[in-house]
DNA sequence: GTCTATACACCGATAGAC
DNA sequence: GTCTATCGGTGTATAGAC
């Protein structure tokens, strides 16, 4: 990995662990092994580097989700696989955690990848639910848009509860609850 | 409000808006109108003040939730009232947002009120669901513990999605989805 | 109780040598 | 491309006068 990539990788880790305000150029330099001058040669400053890091994380998240969504099985099985996928629940969501960072949300450039990721995710899930409803797998009474939003929310909230309880089991419990509720709509 | 209370109130606001790392003693002093010496007279330092602020916020959250839980109506109506209560969804949860703060979670004293609040909340909701199941209001197949966890998660995640989309409507949509799923279990 | 002065490390960046 | 030097501002206090 070249210096530029190491800088991005280290920034992604630090943003995940400590958020934007909690991440200093100095910490990024130390973790990446790059010097001061090196960092400012490759990036114009902290926001520029953060943009590269956030975009990369958002891209990766979508890629992994898409793999699950377009995998084998019924729509409910694919949604279940996505929700139950092994996650580092105590670390939280590398994209979702940034919504709590006022300096990120105040910068349209930094905000965009986050907004787009959740819009895409909710939309993709709504599509799967609509597909399941259309092919008779799911109840006709189920609303794809609101249900999809609730499912993404339960995922993000599961991270919050797991961190609060310091237990990955709480994340799994939240997914059990959500899927238990959804299953009642399976014909 | 005396100086001590103003310091706590300002710290609560700042922790809500900017988190622990994003909140400086200087900012607290400016917002509260208290001077440097005044702040360090009433509190030993930032962690001490944060503990007072977090405890207060946690207490208030429980009080408001309990008002909804012990209010009128069926168990599902009370849960619905709680989830749909008017909230400043774009500001996020004053307690839940702190789970993203590594310095808060690393300090057992600061962490405790957060952990306790979510444990209480989930437990209280599970009790309501169990009650609804026992009195025939809800499906016997519904698992109170996992469902309660999912409901608290959807609430916390609703805040995340609302901030990501910069829209309170997304929060409401998540609640619609969750209640839509729950309603299928109402006999 | 509140004020001002002081301290020292870190933040985020720029300049210029190599 | 990377290094070191330097910069003004902030973070988080402590000390001591009033």
């Amino acid at each position: 990995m070249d210096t530029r990539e190491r800088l991005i990788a280290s920034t992604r880790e630090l943003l995940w662990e400590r958020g934007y305000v909690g991440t200093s150029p100095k910490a990024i330099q130390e973790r990446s092994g790059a010097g001061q001058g090196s960092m400012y040669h490759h990036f114009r400053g902290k926001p520029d580097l953060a943009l590269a890091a956030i975009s990369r994380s958002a891209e990766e998240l979508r890629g992994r989700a898409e793999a699950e969504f377009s995998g084998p099985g019924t729509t409910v099985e694919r949604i279940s696989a996505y929700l139950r996928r092994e996650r580092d629940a105590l670390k939280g969501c590398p994209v979702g955690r940034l919504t709590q960072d006022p300096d990120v949300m105040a910068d349209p450039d930094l905000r965009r990848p986050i907004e787009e990721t959740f819009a895409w995710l909710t939309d993709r899930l709504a599509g799967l639910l609509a597909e399941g409803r259309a092919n008779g797998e799911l109840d006709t009474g189920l609303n794809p848009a609101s249900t999809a939003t609730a499912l993404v929310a339960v995922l993000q909230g599961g991270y919050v509860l797991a961190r609060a309880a310091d237990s990955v089991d709480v994340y799994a419990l939240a997914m059990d609850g959500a899927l238990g509720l959804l299953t009642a709509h399976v014909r």
Side-chain angles (χ1 to χ4, degrees), chain A residues 150-178:
Chain A
L151 290 176
V152 179
V154 86
L155 178 45
Q156 291 296 314
Y159 284 126
V160 171
L161 298 191
R163 282 182 68 88
D166 193 25
S167 155
V168 292
D169 296 348
V170 175
Y171 174 87
L173 200 58
M175 297 311 125
D176 287 350

Side-chain angles (χ1 to χ4, degrees), chain A residues 28-30 36 41 47 52 56 66 71 73 84 87 92 96 129 135 137 153 164 174 179 182 187:
Chain A
I28 294 170
Q29 290 152 29
E30 272 164 11
Q36 186 92 328
H41 169 76
R56 193 69 68 84
E66 183 55 37
R84 290 198 200 277
R87 291 164 195 273
L129 290 168
N135 69 23
E137 192 187 326
L179 290 167
L182 184 64
R187 293 174 169 255

Side-chain angles (χ1 to χ4, degrees), chain A residues 6 10 25 32 44 60 75 79 92 97 101 106-107 109 112 119 121 125 130 135 141 143 161 170 176-177:
Chain A
R6 285 208 320 278
S10 299
S32 66
R44 290 205 312 274
E60 206 177 283
T75 60
I79 290 170
R97 84 103 64 223
D101 226 308
D107 182 332
D109 291 336
R112 183 166 307 112
L121 200 53
L125 268 173
N135 69 23
N143 179 324
L161 298 191
V170 175
D176 287 350

Side-chain angles (χ1 to χ4, degrees), chain A residues 11-107:
Chain A
T11 304
R12 290 179 62 191
E13 290 173 14
L14 284 162
L15 287 178
W16 197 0
E17 294 166 18
R18 307 200 41 84
Y20 185 81
V21 280
T23 296
S24 68
K26 186 177 183 183
I28 294 170
Q29 290 152 29
E30 272 164 11
R31 185 168 301 206
S32 66
Q36 186 92 328
S38 200
M39 183 189 128
Y40 283 100
H41 169 76
H42 290 288
F43 296 94
R44 290 205 312 274
K46 183 175 162 176
D48 189 32
L49 184 41
L51 177 58
I54 294 172
S55 300
R56 193 69 68 84
S57 292
E59 204 179 319
E60 206 177 283
L61 187 153
R62 297 195 216 183
R64 278 216 297 273
E66 183 55 37
E68 227 91 57
F69 294 155
S70 58
T74 63
T75 60
V76 173
E77 280 168 357
R78 280 178 275 163
I79 290 170
S80 174
Y82 172 64
L83 294 179
R84 290 198 200 277
R85 184 217 298 157
E86 189 153 12
R87 291 164 195 273
D88 217 335
L90 292 181
K91 294 194 69 179
C93 175
V95 178
R97 84 103 64 223
L98 299 169
T99 60
Q100 302 302 318
D101 226 308
D103 294 1
V104 170
M105 299 317 273
D107 182 332

